[in-house]
Amino acid sequence: MTHGHEVLHMMEGHSYASKQELVDAIIAKFGAEERFCTCSAEDLDAAELVNFLADRDKFMSTPDGGFTVNLGRMCNH
């Protein structure tokens, strides 16, 4: 099981046009069967993780109309 922090770090320096584009990038990096955990949730698939992170304002808009990781909203542990 991969921690959601790994996905947030993967996003650094990258912009995504949609949640689906991010889900596809996660699957490409970690595999379609990978499950994810966070500080307060576990056993999430890639789409569930993206929605979980979005609900917690872990993303911010980019000038190109997409979004990226909001480094100010990452916990540091």
Side-chain angles (χ1 to χ4, degrees), residues 16-52:
Y16 301 89
S18 67
K19 286 183 181 179
Q20 187 59 52
E21 184 179 328
L22 176 56
V23 168
D24 293 344
I26 293 168
I27 291 170
K29 180 170 178 76
F30 298 101
E33 301 303 317
E34 185 61 50
R35 304 301 286 186
F36 300 89
C37 62
T38 69
C39 301
S40 61
E42 56 184 58
D43 198 32
L44 304 171
D45 66 20
E48 291 168 333
L49 177 67
V50 168
N51 287 327
F52 178 90

Side-chain angles (χ1 to χ4, degrees), residues 1-18:
M1 193 169 300
T2 300
H3 199 283
H5 289 158
E6 295 298 317
V7 171
L8 295 174
H9 288 298
M10 176 195 89
M11 293 177 67
E12 290 182 62
H14 300 280
S15 176
Y16 301 89
S18 67

